[in-house]
Amino acid sequence: MTSSAARAQIGVTGLAVMGSNIARNFAKHGYTVALHNRSVAKTDALLAAHGDDGDFVRTETIAEFVAALEKPRRVLIMVKAGDATDAVIEELAGAMETGDIIIDGGNALYTDTIRREAALRARGLNFVGAGISGGEEGALNGPSIMPGGPAESYESLGPLLESIAAQVDGTPCCTHIGPDGSGHFVKMVHNGIEYADMQLIGEAYHLFRAALDLDPKQIADIFTQWNSGELESYLVEITAEVLNQVDALTGKPLVDVIVDAAEQKGTGRWTVKSALDLGVPVTGIAEAVFARALSGSRGQRAAAVGLAAGELAAKPTDIAQFTEDIRQALYASKVVAYAQGFDQIAAGSAEYGWDLTPGDLATIWRGGCIIRARFLNRIKEAYETDPTLPSLILAPYFRDAIETAIDSWRRVVSTATLLGIPVPAFGSSLSYYDALRAERLPAALTQAQRDFFGAHTYERVDAEGKFHTLWSEDRSEVPAG
Ligand code: NBP
């Protein structure tokens, strides 16, 4: 650790778990990193433990911190998202100069990022809202980074970010996403997909236990096996590790001593709220968020235990077949979850004029982040072949995969229902698929009802224009004008 003026290529303020690991990552890549934290103790703790990782500049005040940076200055904020981010931005902006770059690497709500970018642009500063995925380990060894903001700031910032990002097949898991809030929007949807993926894995696990009476160790072996096939992914890999874990206190599988009430920190909820505003059916993500909420309704659940289940069917006897059915159902449902997430990204892009490239996102999610998976190569290829795909499930590879999976998928959803085992994400994904491929939907009846009680009008299949029926009179039909 040395100190001299204006020589650090990057500054990191906010040195908790994420900030300290990203600062170390920059330093390990040969950059001089200026360090700052509200309380100096964290800065000193980082230097004491990892000062040898590279060249750091210790600073105590924002003025010292800004003075330590070469121009244009690049400052990465890694503080608790929300008011803290605004407070830090305000302090930094007062000390920085035209053309300097402030990067928010926290989990900001994308509408906050849009607001902050506009405000800082008006003050001559570049603001980059960068989604960063991968948790502590990714931050240190290579995260997936989704930077939004002005394209010109990426020219100066991009090479640094790309060098510390995860690399897959020689390609960094970082690219300029688009203007203002697009980076945080994409990170938000990424987290939503993560929710869906985890819920689907949870449902597969629950079926193994409740329908096939397998124990966690046996299920871990199945997930390990799956991880060498088309389901290969970080989440499937860690699921096997989690299920193999034994509780040191009781000797039981650790998963059995963990309370079955899941938390949600907010990004899943944000994804669903945004999808509602955009009118995009992200049923898999929504079911995942609601499933966590239901699991957390512990009082209600305790009161409802033992309610009638009705007559339940016999459990499957062909374990190998049903295991394969679950694998297929998981894969097909996962395709649906990603298809819905990419639909939301397309809708956000259109709404905010971001001109996002879906294939780029599949590329930078292949490494560093929680949803990294072999399967993302297929998504990348699908969008490279046809960037205007109406839905991912229409890409030949995924259309064929679902065609292969469909019988298994139906068996899993129907068997689960007959056994009284909840599979909200498997079930809603299958219904979504069936609705999307249906020639006619009951929405015609909905439109008729709306016209009946509210004169909302409807369109006809055989004529242009809007129509209204005088329902309670002679049922005659008149153009709505
Ligand atoms: P936290 O979210 O726990 O935030 C702690 C940091 O914020 C400390 O450095 C703290 O300073 C600073 N801070 C707070 Br709190 N209020 C402040 C204020 N008013 N002014 C200045 N600094 C303030 O840290 P984290 O878990 O490392 O996450 C950092 C960001 O990265 C968050 O936005 C998070 O959502 C995001 N993120 C986290 C993960 C993950 O896996 N944890 C993954 C991806 C993104 P102090 O030391 O003085 O209290």
Side-chain angles (χ1 to χ4, degrees), residues 110-193:
Y110 72 96
T111 45
D112 285 342
T113 305
I114 293 174
R115 166 178 61 77
R116 290 168 182 152
E117 198 277 331
L120 288 174
R121 189 164 10 102
R123 295 167 74 170
L125 295 169
N126 290 305
F127 184 67
V128 172
I132 300 182
S133 175
E136 182 178 355
E137 198 269 334
L140 180 62
N141 297 317
S144 175
I145 311 179
M146 295 149 251
E152 39 306 355
S153 59
Y154 195 77
E155 281 169 28
S156 145
L157 183 64
L160 275 82
L161 297 183
E162 290 184 11
S163 66
I164 66 150
Q167 313 283 323
V168 175
D169 302 335
T171 304
C173 294
C174 172
T175 192
H176 182 236
I177 301 296
D180 53 71
S182 58
H184 278 136
F185 180 86
V186 159
K187 168 64 165 45
M188 175 191 75
V189 177
H190 161 287
N191 281 28
I193 293 172

Side-chain angles (χ1 to χ4, degrees), residues 16-18 37-39 42 78-81 84 88 106-107 132 135:
V17 179
M18 290 296 285
N37 193 70
R38 178 178 61 177
S39 50
K42 275 204 180 68
M78 292 303 298
V79 302
K80 193 174 168 59
V88 174
N107 266 339
I132 300 182

